[in-house]
Amino acid sequence: MRVAVKKARPAKARPTGSESASENPIELPDGMIERIRTKAHELWEARGHREGNALQDWLDAEEIVMEQIHEARE
């Protein structure tokens, strides 16, 4: 039996300078992380303290807080 081995492709070049997201992180307004954390905790409590959805709670909380901020600016 013969096994074919493919050669690895060279890695794609990563963005440099101002193109790199890790060099230019997004700055959030003061207190925003705490607001998201609090909302995520509220969502967890509303779900009956069931584990396993921390990421989804965080993402949902981000969406809710961002919407609140957007509505407050209108």
Side-chain angles (χ1 to χ4, degrees):
M1 176 191 282
R2 295 184 84 194
V3 177
V5 178
K6 292 184 178 181
K7 291 184 179 179
R9 295 182 186 174
K12 292 184 179 181
R14 298 186 75 186
T16 60
S18 62
E19 296 176 20
S20 176
S22 63
E23 291 180 18
N24 298 317
I26 297 171
E27 292 186 27
L28 301 175
D30 290 336
M32 189 167 179
I33 295 293
E34 187 58 36
R35 286 178 66 180
I36 295 169
R37 183 179 295 122
T38 300
K39 180 53 74 175
H41 186 78
E42 290 172 6
L43 294 172
W44 173 70
E45 286 179 328
R47 206 177 8 25
H49 303 140
R50 282 182 284 134
E51 299 297 329
N53 294 311
L55 177 59
Q56 190 60 52
D57 287 343
W58 185 270
L59 296 174
D60 290 344
E62 279 184 343
E63 184 176 349
I64 291 166
V65 169
M66 293 296 288
E67 187 174 302
Q68 290 171 344
I69 290 170
H70 179 72
E71 288 175 358
R73 289 184 177 176
E74 289 182 343

